[in-house]
Amino acid sequence: AMNRTVRVSDRPVTMQGMRGMQSTSQGARQVQDISYYIGVLQNKINELNNEVKNLDDMVEEQNSEMSELGTMTRRHENLLNEVRQLEGRLADYNLAMDKARVGTDPNELEEYVKEYQAKNERMAENVDKIFVAKKRKDDEIKTIEIQISKLHQEAQKKN
């Protein structure tokens, strides 16, 4: 019964740096029980939680940037108004300097200033008149709307 011939080439070579028979699994788990799937799910849950945290951080950062944007926009508008006012003053000073260089009489400059002050006062009076007229019209409109509403309510009661 032991009459078999053994060929050395059929046996795997071991311990000489060459690998013997290789398994096809290559380190992968062949039997996957419930604990394996629980581990996989826990890894995926951790990944999702990390991604949610990253997204929350991004939203918080964007919200803070938006509030900063609003603050900066208001500051920009304030500075822009200040620059316009300063430019107006500079134009006035430049005009005065030009008049002084040309040799304009100071009395002429005073009359020029008085003329513009009078013109500004007339414009302010006109603006005030327009505002009062608009206010009066708004009040009239409100009164008429109240009357219309009362008439509408009376008509609804009759029906």
Side-chain angles (χ1 to χ4, degrees), residues 22-78:
Q22 292 183 354
S23 66
T24 58
S25 66
Q26 295 179 351
R29 190 171 179 164
Q30 289 183 351
V31 178
Q32 287 133 358
D33 56 1
I34 194 163
S35 63
Y36 169 77
Y37 290 109
I38 289 174
V40 169
L41 286 175
Q42 285 176 341
N43 286 338
K44 292 297 178 183
I45 289 171
N46 288 338
E47 288 177 18
L48 288 172
N49 286 337
N50 288 337
E51 188 63 26
V52 167
K53 183 182 180 302
N54 288 340
L55 290 174
D56 285 343
D57 291 345
M58 288 172 60
V59 166
E60 187 176 317
E61 181 179 337
Q62 207 167 30
N63 287 339
S64 68
E65 287 175 359
M66 290 303 290
S67 68
E68 287 178 16
L69 177 66
T71 303
M72 292 301 212
T73 302
R74 284 189 297 278
R75 180 153 166 74
H76 175 264
E77 290 170 359
N78 291 339

Side-chain angles (χ1 to χ4, degrees), residues 74-137:
R74 284 189 297 278
R75 180 153 166 74
H76 175 264
E77 290 170 359
N78 291 339
L79 290 174
L80 195 59
N81 287 335
E82 185 179 344
V83 165
R84 286 182 184 143
Q85 290 173 352
L86 292 173
E87 284 175 342
R89 281 169 99 190
L90 179 63
D92 292 343
Y93 289 143
N94 284 339
L95 182 61
M97 290 296 292
D98 287 344
K99 296 284 185 184
R101 266 190 293 239
V102 173
T104 306
D105 184 27
N107 293 331
E108 186 179 323
L109 283 177
E110 285 180 24
E111 286 193 30
Y112 180 75
V113 168
K114 287 179 184 177
E115 177 185 329
Y116 273 95
Q117 285 177 341
K119 195 183 288 185
N120 284 343
E121 288 175 11
R122 284 192 304 272
M123 291 174 102
E125 288 174 8
N126 285 339
V127 168
D128 289 343
K129 287 178 185 177
I130 292 170
F131 176 76
V132 169
K134 181 187 180 303
K135 179 94 169 115
R136 194 175 306 126
K137 289 292 182 186

Side-chain angles (χ1 to χ4, degrees), residues 5-13 21:
T5 57
V6 178
R7 287 184 282 169
V8 176
S9 62
D10 289 342
R11 292 188 64 210
V13 177
M21 296 177 59

